[in-house]
């Protein structure tokens, strides 16, 4: 069997850079070396691409607080429009050889928002995960909410503000408190992993939360707090996606923060599978697949919902490149659904190749009859 050559793309110019490094570490440990040759491509925090060696591509890899990319002098450039050898080592201007697929494990902005996906599509390289549109709209919580509502799915009530729409001082705590009640959440529209998210009980926390969210994005959401269980469901597929068994997040802190997700292994308890009736489980899986399709997702996504006491399902968010760390829900849910980690990687690579082949049949020029 001829081994496929996989480009693992990780790091990134994002507040979730360190999460991506942890995900890359775990994928490297799980990928089947008898099936794949892996080319490691690390992106540093300035956005430069580095060709890395598998034996030493991370620094402080055992400590999630100190983990860092090992920068090299082997930069990488992309050559758009070619059908092979699209990546070049800038040190000797030599092609890296033909990559069968690129697996982006880039969380957050400039990785999960359609930016890299657009570049890879222009470079004619198959890649794992959603295409440009699905990535972009899923990343923007404001746009995603609108499309989910149009699809008949329930989302939390919220207000959206941009720097141009209103100054921070003109966002009224009293008016929003009256409409959404307390506590409430303030979030950057285009971030993940709870980066820049604040849970607000007072006016002082409100003002600090707005400032924190605007540090990460030009658009923010102020959202009602939903009283309910936090349930997550993994989705896999292209035109005919399937949903995993749901899992539950039981946060030990006030909410499921960045630290609880990726640094503190005791920051939350994961109930897998979630203790749900068969009927509610089926409803959550159906909602997850409907949301996946409504946002034009492909390949993979993790759909996060709230389940209220009345068994109402309210969508929190959709992550098109969910975490792949050892404590991440996406691979854990599939493992208990019958698809172990290494097989999950196989499935995602096959879905990427399937979509690329499908897209190759589209005409790129008009022929009049």
């Amino acid at each position: 069997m001829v081994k496929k050559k996989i480009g693992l793309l990780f790091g990134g110019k994002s507040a979730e850079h360190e999460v991506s490094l942890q995900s890359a570490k775990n994928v490297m440990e799980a990928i089947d070396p008898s099936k794949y040759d892996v080319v490691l491509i690390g992106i540093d925090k300035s956005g430069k691409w580095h060709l890395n060696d598998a034996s030493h591509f991370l620094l402080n890899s055992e400590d999630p607080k100190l983990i860092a990319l090992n920068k090299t002098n082997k930069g990488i450039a992309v050559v758009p429009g070619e059908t092979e050898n699209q990546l070049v080592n800038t040190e000797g201007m030599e092609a890296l050889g033909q990559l069968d697929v690129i697996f982006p494990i880039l969380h957050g902005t400039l990785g999960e928002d359609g930016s890299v996906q657009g570049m890879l599509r222009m470079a004619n390289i198959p890649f794992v995960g959603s295409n440009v549109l699905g990535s972009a709209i899923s990343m923007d919580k404001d746009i995603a909410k609108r499309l989910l509502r149009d699809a008949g799915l329930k989302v939390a009530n919220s207000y959206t503000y941009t720097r141009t729409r209103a100054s921070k001082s003109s966002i009224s705590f009293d008016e929003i408190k009256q409409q959404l009640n307390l506590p409430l959440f303030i979030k950057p529209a285009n971030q993940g992993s709870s980066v820049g998210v604040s849970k607000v009980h007072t006016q002082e926390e409100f003002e600090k939360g707005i400032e924190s969210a605007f540090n990460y994005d030009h658009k923010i959401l102020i959202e009602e707090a939903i009283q309910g269980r936090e349930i997550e469901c993994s989705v896999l597929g292209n035109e005919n996606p399937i949903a995993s068994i749901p899992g539950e997040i039981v946060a030990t802190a006030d909410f499921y923060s960045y630290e609880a997700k990726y640094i503190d292994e005791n920051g939350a308890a994961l109930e897998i599978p979630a203790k749900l009736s068969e009927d509610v489980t089926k409803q959550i899986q159906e909602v997850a697949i409907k949301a996946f399709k409504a946002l034009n997702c492909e390949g993979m996504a993790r759909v996060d919902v709230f389940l209220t006491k009345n068994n109402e399902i309210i969508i929190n968010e959709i992550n098109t490149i969910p975490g792949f760390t050892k404590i991440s829900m996406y691979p854990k849910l599939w493992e208990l659904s019958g698809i172990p980690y290494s097989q999950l990687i196989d499935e995602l690579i096959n879905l990427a190749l399937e979509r690329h082949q499908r897209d190759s049949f589209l005409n790129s020029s008009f022929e009049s009859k």
Side-chain angles (χ1 to χ4, degrees):
M1 183 180 68
V2 178
K3 292 198 287 186
K4 289 185 172 66
K5 197 170 185 178
I6 308 300
L8 196 58
L9 191 60
F10 59 95
K13 192 177 178 180
S14 161
E16 299 172 74
H17 177 92
E18 288 77 13
V19 180
S20 175
L21 300 185
Q22 293 181 62
S23 291
K25 176 178 180 287
N26 283 263
V27 170
M28 270 301 294
E29 291 170 349
I31 199 164
D32 189 343
S34 69
K35 295 180 180 178
Y36 307 108
D37 286 326
V38 179
V39 176
L40 289 165
I41 305 168
I43 304 177
D44 67 26
K45 289 189 175 183
S46 69
K48 183 178 179 180
W49 291 30
H50 300 263
L51 181 61
N52 285 95
D53 184 86
S55 64
H56 194 53
F57 71 102
L58 296 175
L59 305 174
N60 307 313
S61 61
E62 300 305 319
D63 189 338
K65 292 182 180 179
L66 300 176
I67 193 170
L69 174 67
N70 182 30
K71 299 179 185 179
T72 69
N73 60 358
K74 299 176 182 177
I76 294 177
V78 180
V79 184
E82 299 291 340
T83 56
E84 58 184 25
N85 299 326
Q86 299 98 323
L87 298 183
V88 175
N89 180 354
T90 58
E91 184 185 30
M93 299 309 294
E94 296 177 352
L96 300 186
Q98 184 63 25
L99 295 181
D100 293 293
V101 176
I102 280 189
F103 194 149
I105 315 178
L106 297 162
H107 308 306
T109 50
L110 299 178
E112 198 172 353
D113 60 2
S115 302
V116 164
Q117 290 76 10
M119 184 189 66
L120 293 174
R121 189 170 182 194
M122 289 184 68
N124 199 35
I125 304 175
F127 58 90
V128 168
S130 289
N131 214 323
V132 179
L133 181 62
S135 300
I137 60 181
S138 298
M139 186 69 183
D140 190 311
K141 296 178 179 66
D142 170 45
I143 303 301
K145 277 177 179 283
R146 299 184 200 188
L147 291 171
L148 291 169
R149 278 195 295 261
D150 281 352
L153 297 166
K154 295 178 181 178
V155 296
N157 294 319
S158 63
Y159 291 94
T160 301
Y161 293 91
T162 63
R163 293 185 196 279
T164 54
R165 176 185 163 192
S167 65
K168 289 180 283 187
S169 60
S170 69
I171 304 174
S172 170
F173 172 71
D174 290 332
E175 289 180 10
I176 291 175
K177 179 178 69 172
Q178 187 174 5
Q179 295 298 320
L180 300 181
N181 299 316
L182 294 175
L184 51 83
F185 284 93
I186 302 177
K187 307 176 178 181
N190 290 276
Q191 280 291 342
S193 299
S194 300
V195 171
V197 175
S198 303
K199 188 173 184 179
V200 169
H201 303 82
T202 67
Q203 182 162 357
E204 181 181 4
E205 290 176 346
F206 182 80
E207 292 169 358
K208 288 181 178 178
I210 289 173
E211 183 154 358
S212 175
F214 270 130
N215 282 335
Y216 294 99
D217 198 9
H218 298 296
K219 178 164 65 170
I220 67 170
L221 273 72
I222 303 178
E223 186 177 85
E224 67 174 330
I226 302 296
Q227 298 300 315
R229 298 165 64 186
E230 293 188 52
I231 308 294
E232 299 186 349
C233 189
S234 297
V235 182
L236 177 70
N238 289 337
E239 290 95 341
N240 300 298
I242 58 174
S244 72
I245 59 170
E248 181 171 4
I249 301 293
V250 183
T252 56
D254 196 26
F255 73 100
Y256 197 30
S257 66
Y258 178 95
E259 288 77 10
K261 288 180 179 179
Y262 301 110
I263 295 176
D264 181 6
E265 292 197 22
N266 299 313
L270 306 183
E271 290 279 351
I272 306 175
K275 295 174 182 175
L276 303 167
S277 69
E278 186 176 337
D279 181 57
V280 171
T281 294
K282 185 178 178 181
Q283 287 180 48
I284 289 173
Q285 290 172 322
E286 289 173 350
V287 165
I289 290 173
K290 191 173 182 181
F292 187 88
K293 291 181 176 180
L295 299 189
N296 201 48
C297 295
E298 294 174 294
M300 63 178 167
R302 195 193 69 238
V303 181
D304 303 347
V305 305
F306 296 108
L307 180 67
T308 70
K309 290 182 179 179
N310 299 323
N311 285 337
E312 186 178 28
I313 300 167
I314 300 173
I315 296 177
N316 182 20
E317 62 180 2
I318 289 87
N319 293 273
T320 55
I321 305 184
F324 269 81
T325 73
K326 63 181 180 180
I327 59 173
S328 294
M329 268 288 212
Y330 187 83
K332 279 180 169 286
L333 290 175
W334 278 121
E335 188 167 8
L336 267 79
S337 299
I339 304 178
Y341 204 138
S342 60
Q343 185 184 335
L344 178 61
I345 293 171
D346 293 344
E347 294 284 348
L348 291 168
I349 289 170
N350 289 334
L351 288 167
L353 291 168
E354 173 192 294
R355 179 185 60 203
H356 188 72
Q357 185 177 30
R358 181 194 70 199
D359 290 348
S360 70
F361 294 130
L362 296 173
N363 288 335
S364 58
S365 59
F366 174 71
E367 298 178 6
S368 59
K369 297 181 179 178

